[in-house]
Amino acid sequence: MKPDPKKSSNAARPNGPGAGKGSSPNVSAKSPANEAEPTAGLAHTPIWLIILFAALFYWGQLYLDNHAGGFDPQVYEPYESAKLVKALNTGADDLAAKGEPLYGMVCAACHQPNGSGGALAPPLAGSEWVTAADPSRLIRIPLHGLSGPIQVKGQDYTFPSGMTAMGEVLSDDSLAAILSYIRQSWGNSAPQVTPAQVAKVRQDTANRPMNGTATWTADELLKVPLAQ
Amino acid sequence: MPAETGSSTACSASPPVPVNEIDRSCRTPVVFLLACSQAWLVIGLLFGVISSIKLHGPGFLSGSEWLAYGRIYPAAQNALAYGFAAQALLGVGLWILARLGRVTLQGAGIPIVGGIFWNLSVALGLLGILAGHNTAYDWLEMPRYASGPLFFSYLLIAICAIMTFKLRRECALYVSQWYLLAALLWFPWIYSTAQLLLIIFPVRGVLQAVVNGWFVQNLFDIWLGSLGLAAIFYFLPKTLDRPLHSRYLALFGFWALLFFGSWGGMYAGAPVPKWLGSLSIVFKVMTLIPLLAVGLNLYRTMAGKWSAVKTDAALGFVALGALCYLLVGVVGILSVLRTVSERTLFTLFTPGMTNLYLFGFVALTVAGAMYYIVPRLLEAEWPSGGTQTFHFWTSVAGIALVTLPLLFGGLTQGAKLNDPQAPFISVVRSIIPFLGLSTLGGTLLLIGNAALLGRISKAMLATCCGSCCPGLLSASQKPRALASGGKV
């Protein structure tokens, strides 16, 4: 039998007393080849740890009762309950607020951020096309585009290039949001346009292509009947 | 866990294998894994120091995109987690399983192959990260072409470990074996799940953050935690030469950790339904129980023998590693509480905790284990005690410096970030001193661990040359086994 491999100054101690406790009987702790391996004593888990465990568990339940929003997938920080979230959600989305950034991206380049119009497009602020109580004509403009001479606020405009059709790229929701925004900004105050209204117009004009080949003219739009 | 009562299997039939035979079977695979892991620790620290310098000196090494902060920082993290921590603890675990099972390492060639491919995968993964192929998931940054091989290399190592466990000659199970077995089975589950749900068939939107959080929680609290605890529970009683205080307490702590440690990982205020954050908080707080169970058990085991820490290097390192485990556990629990997390989230506090975990808990425990195992496996004397003292004190100072400044810096940073009056740039300026201190700490750790790496290489070289061409060695370099006429 070879002597125990190198002991560094700090390390190996062969079979210590006490180390054999609890180890299985088939291992002879005395054999020099069988260095004692660690074993565990049989002291009991202290009762205070169990009590603390129970107390923490109870706290955990209380915490989840108060801070988990009833495990409702609709409840996010910082709200406390589904009831509160529902109460705050009136269902009436603020379409105009959603439309503001979209207007900035899609329309403002021509109609200006303040709706004043200019070299590229007529004004939207104060325009009767925008604020008409029934939005059926208004919705048609961005859906299919508009060209030819047009009168806005009593003034005649002609823009050779006209306005492009955007019905293919803007969803009902986005269009409703943009139109609600222009109807409620810069002094305009008309009721918002709902996505359902946009969908209805899309349906009514289903055979009109939205690729810019069938833009409206002002005269044509004026023939579209309005609900009073 | 089946214990003494386990039905009789192969274990009771055959006689235990002598210790020196067990050690010889472990020599190549375990020393290989340990030496490589130490090399990754040095590489990880080097990357870590570079990325840390970049935080207060943005011009440093700014010429190369390969060394950009966004690449070198995750590279450091992955080198430390997979190259160093996982590999080192697996190596130690293999040896513990063989020793406790009183059986030679089964199929010792398998973990060598597994180890080689593990290291190649880590290297490939780091190259991928440096080349810009980062997956952008925390602690899973390695690209797919590295994480796949990594997973299969792991299976090779784990198969050897489980075979060694299965064919053990000693029936009675010890605490370390529970933790090792749990950890061995845990990793394939969490790693494959995370890879599948994040990389291969990615789930949508914030669900990715939820899966990632769950993975990180399990990676640290359960997997690396169990591997580290297995080593602590082995070496503390072993070097003290007395039994662990209580088996029941250990059992309680074990199951409590597996149950409570595996949930959560989300933080309060994340853009997910509120219950996810709250559930994470509750489960994290509950891990106080296993933490206390472990702490109490170790404390009672040490009782009355505290002075042994001074004379026994392995014990000193492992005991300090255990202390860091308890500390980082408590800090981690505090940090999830809503009042604290709203201040510490997205600040230096988080890397401070990670450092305490990796360099305090894991690296100190591994160092202790290495001081114990490597001389026995190499059957060689460690070269002088000077490196050991140097390594110990650079570690202690280094850990303090990469931890405390970041924790305190994180708290002040968080307070200022939450103050809408404080201009952002002044917040950034105010944390520079803390970052500087942590760079200093990282450098100390780097130097100390490079010294240890040198020392291991020297010992390996001595044994290696000693066994093939003893004539080349001067008498002083000869391993003692040879000098005393024993054959290797």
Side-chain angles (χ1 to χ4, degrees), chain B residues 26-38 87 111-117 119 460:
Chain B
C26 289
R27 175 192 284 179
T28 320
V30 172
V31 171
F32 175 76
L33 292 177
L34 291 181
C36 290
S37 75
Q38 184 67 22
Q87 175 163 228
I112 300 178
V113 177
I116 292 175
F117 279 102
N119 284 290
M460 275 168 68

Side-chain angles (χ1 to χ4, degrees), chain A residues 12-13 35 37 41 43 63 67, chain B residues 234 238 244 246 278 338 376:
Chain A
R13 256 169 256 118
E35 196 178 304
E37 295 297 350
Y63 190 84
H67 297 282
Chain B
Y234 181 87
K238 178 92 178 170
L244 180 72
S246 163
S278 295
R338 278 195 156 82
R376 282 173 173 71

